[in-house]
Amino acid sequence: MSGLRDQLTTLTRAFFIRFFESDVTTGGDDLKGSYFWLLATLTVPGLFIPWIMAFEWQLLARIEGAEAVRIASRAEKTFYLGYTMIASGVLTTIAWGTLLPDRRDTLILGALPVKPSLIVTAKLLALAGYVGFVALFMHGVTAISWGAVLGDAEAFSFTLRGTFAHLIASSLASMSVCIAVAAAQGLTLSLVGPRYFRQVSTLLQVVLVGLMALCLAALPAMNSSVVDTLRNGPRAQPWILSLPPAWFLGIYEVLLGSNDALLHGLARRAWMLVLVSVAVALVTYPIAYRRLMVSVAESGSEPRHRLARGIHWLLVRAAGRAPSVRAAAEFFTATLARVDRQRFVLAIALGVAIAWGLPGWRSYVPTAEPAAAILALPLAAMMFLIVGLRIASSLPSDTRAAWVFEVHDLGRKPARQALERVVFLLAVVPPALLSTPVYWMLWGPTAALTHAGVMAGMGIVLIELLIWHCDGMPCGQQWTPARADLGRRWPIHFGVFLLILSAIPKLEVLLFRHPKAAAGFVIYLLVVAALVRYASAKHRIIATYEELDPVAGVLRLQ
């Protein structure tokens, strides 16, 4: 028994540490430390929300009593519960590849005298420890803050109850996201098998990011309408009650002693979500691990689908004829398809693009004249994808093998050519191909073709601007965030994004009536792109100290 206990303890500790050492957070880039900084940053808003509202709540308590504060604070509670579920979704997306036992676990542990049931138990215990750690880290101190402020006009016993209610409700909200994602992964792996799981897993990641973006967009509506919705007031929005943050508000209020039947119903939904997620995870984890063991025993590699091979072949051939260009395109596209760090970035870009466009398409009412708001949707998707691919290309596929490209790297010209063509084919062509037939049916061929031309021109200009500093193999260089200087430049980037979305679609509406002017504008964009390309090729990139230091490359071999 002591031997089994020692094995279980060792495996649980190893699996728990793995949650902070996923492919997204490892490397010489200090991304693991950034994970804890991110966790601490996500905790800050919960600390300040009650103190920002303290004066208003105290004034309301003096005028209308403590019960009015309890009712009014439901808006901020719902906002916080929604925010904490989004924050947990972000952390879960980062730890995506470590939620399930993976192929490496099976290869290493399968050859050791360790029972599979013990491995599955250790993985589940590590998952429980991880979600518990995140929940306590995020909500332990904030619960005291909320309980103290909301219980200011009440007895000390109510302050303790408020602290307990906040801790339980917010922790369950955080844990439900991680456990639900782990359950969805386990169910998917059990159903489709390891061969197709990687492709389906990427789709699940995109869906999760999209849901987080939609929830973020819905937070203001939930904050302003949840109180009236619970009381069936004039600003009631019944759809809010179908969202999980409202369900966990039910747990919050029930723990505070509410007898409201609607809140009790919402609390039952929240408990059902948590219990079903836990049950699915418990059932599917053993099945998923067994399927992994069988797949490893039957085959040593995971063959790619014929369609994926065909797309990969076309991207490499379209990049150029020179062997160095094709090598760069081959390495870049293979990295995008296989490395979790790059897949994580692409999933974020795709999820945000879908979440950005979905509300606009759902609320669109067909009109005879082109609508600028609808024309902006594929432009936004294109920009999200371009930025996502550029970020993915700047992250190293494997920092431990980065010395290969330091010893023998291809030139700047073939690297830029491969990157700009692959990004164009993956980020500009798909939104244009999807939107052009739709606009053709809505507003005719002139509007559709003009929009496609403007999209292509804008995409090429943006690509040339974003690859200004590209001087080596995509996904094969050190990650140097100091080059981007996002701390000072993010307002500029965001301003350019909004300017393009507001100005270009309105300009397109005018160009639809003047085909010659539309052609001239597209030519103008291509000329600008050519000038930017020429200027960036002549621009001398000054290497940073880390890129010049030969010792750094040696240390990365360890």
Side-chain angles (χ1 to χ4, degrees), residues 218-399:
L219 280 183
M222 286 191 287
N223 182 66
S224 60
S225 304
V226 67
V227 176
D228 276 3
T229 301
L230 292 173
R231 296 188 302 181
N232 200 21
R235 293 188 300 174
Q237 300 286 344
W239 60 270
I240 290 176
L241 301 182
S242 62
L243 300 179
W247 305 350
F248 289 96
L249 175 66
I251 291 181
Y252 201 133
E253 294 299 318
V254 168
L255 291 176
L256 285 177
S258 174
N259 295 319
D260 189 288
L262 178 58
L263 290 171
H264 277 263
L266 295 174
R268 283 193 293 271
R269 292 186 190 179
W271 283 112
M272 185 64 66
L273 173 63
V274 174
L275 294 177
V276 169
S277 299
V278 171
V280 172
L282 291 175
V283 171
T284 57
Y285 262 56
I287 301 174
Y289 185 71
R290 178 176 177 80
R291 296 207 64 173
L292 274 173
M293 291 183 64
V294 173
S295 69
V296 170
E298 290 179 349
S299 62
S301 62
E302 297 180 9
R304 287 187 297 171
H305 194 272
R306 183 177 300 176
L307 177 61
R309 293 198 303 268
I311 295 174
H312 180 77
W313 183 86
L314 287 174
L315 288 173
V316 173
R317 293 303 182 275
R321 295 182 178 180
S324 58
V325 175
R326 290 189 174 182
E330 174 85 25
F331 183 77
F332 182 39
T333 53
T335 301
L336 293 177
R338 298 174 183 175
V339 179
D340 288 341
R341 184 183 291 121
Q342 275 70 19
R343 291 159 65 92
F344 166 71
V345 174
L346 287 184
I348 292 177
L350 283 170
V352 173
I354 294 172
W356 184 280
L358 190 60
W361 286 112
R362 288 196 61 187
S363 61
Y364 172 66
V365 178
T367 57
E369 294 293 325
I374 298 300
L375 292 171
L377 297 180
L379 277 173
M382 179 189 73
M383 286 189 284
F384 286 130
L385 292 176
I386 290 175
V387 172
L389 286 168
R390 182 64 184 101
I391 294 174
S393 70
S394 64
L395 296 175
S397 60
D398 189 348
T399 55

Side-chain angles (χ1 to χ4, degrees), residues 57 68 91 132 170 196 218 221 251 255 275 316 323 326 366 395 397 407 437 452 455 467 469 483 503 549 551:
W57 288 342
L91 298 174
S170 55
Y196 299 104
I251 291 181
L255 291 176
L275 294 177
V316 173
R326 290 189 174 182
L395 296 175
S397 60
V407 173
M455 273 195 67
I467 67 172
H469 288 291
R483 284 196 185 279
D549 184 13
V551 179

